[in-house]
């Protein structure tokens, strides 16, 4: 369990993020076009997993915009932006914002939050994912 803070109050997650040097955990996500996306299918490229509670918050939306800008200049890198938002909401946001350098992915029907240790267990956002970034190299090893 990890402790974090939300609006000044303590919040806890189900576990801890993958540690540097460990294999990137595999998880099945759903893309905006309702296709399944397995993180293991991205091996061979650097993978940046940007995790956030909901695209419907100003901070989360800003982070997706920023990752989209940065991803344009990252060769051999896939940036996956993950939340429990429905794929429709992620797709609508990305279409409206012109976001096309990241892969929006929903964890709404997967165990991603448990596997990555980032699902919040209490507080007003209990059940959603905490904000975090995990980066794996092309061999699937966590480097950040």
């Amino acid at each position: 369990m990890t402790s974090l803070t939300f609006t000044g109050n303590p919040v806890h997650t189900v576990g801890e993020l993958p540690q540097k040097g460990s294999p990137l955990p595999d998880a099945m996500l759903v893309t905006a076009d309702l296709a399944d996306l397995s993180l293991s299918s991205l091996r061979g490229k650097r993978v940046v997993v940007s995790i956030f509670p909901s695209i419907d918050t100003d901070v989360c939306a800003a982070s997706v915009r920023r990752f989209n800008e940065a991803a344009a200049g990252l060769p051999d890198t896939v940036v996956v932006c993950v939340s429990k938002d429905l794929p429709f909401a992620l797709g609508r946001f990305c279409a409206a914002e012109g976001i096309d350098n990241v892969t929006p992915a929903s964890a709404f029907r997967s165990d991603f939050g448990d596997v990555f240790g980032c699902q919040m267990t209490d507080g007003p956002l209990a059940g959603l994912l905490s904000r975090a970034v995990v980066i794996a190299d092309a061999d699937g090893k966590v480097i950040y």
Side-chain angles (χ1 to χ4, degrees), residues 1-22:
M1 179 180 297
T2 299
S3 275
L4 16 132
T5 304
F6 179 73
T7 63
N9 298 308
V11 175
H12 304 92
T13 62
V14 297
E16 295 184 7
L17 291 170
Q19 297 299 303
K20 187 175 179 180
S22 68

Side-chain angles (χ1 to χ4, degrees), residues 7-78:
T7 63
N9 298 308
V11 175
H12 304 92
T13 62
V14 297
E16 295 184 7
L17 291 170
Q19 297 299 303
K20 187 175 179 180
S22 68
L24 182 69
D26 195 16
M28 189 63 71
L29 300 164
V30 181
T31 62
D33 62 357
L34 301 179
D36 288 337
L37 173 66
S38 169
L39 291 178
S40 64
S41 72
L42 303 175
R43 288 241 169 94
K45 293 188 177 207
R46 178 176 292 158
V47 178
V48 177
V49 184
S50 171
I51 308 163
F52 56 95
S54 176
I55 199 67
D56 288 324
T57 68
D58 291 339
V59 173
C60 296
S63 75
V64 171
R65 287 185 200 103
R66 179 67 185 104
F67 272 99
N68 185 63
E69 291 171 12
L74 298 173
D76 297 320
T77 302
V78 177

Side-chain angles (χ1 to χ4, degrees), residues 47-119:
V47 178
V48 177
V49 184
S50 171
I51 308 163
F52 56 95
S54 176
I55 199 67
D56 288 324
T57 68
D58 291 339
V59 173
C60 296
S63 75
V64 171
R65 287 185 200 103
R66 179 67 185 104
F67 272 99
N68 185 63
E69 291 171 12
L74 298 173
D76 297 320
T77 302
V78 177
V79 178
V80 183
C81 294
V82 182
S83 73
K84 283 203 170 181
D85 290 305
L86 291 176
F88 311 112
L90 293 168
R92 186 170 43 251
F93 173 82
C94 290
E97 297 283 331
I99 292 175
D100 54 8
N101 297 316
V102 302
T103 300
S106 176
F108 84 108
R109 63 177 179 206
S110 81
D111 61 353
F112 177 90
D114 291 327
V115 171
F116 274 71
C118 62
Q119 183 165 305

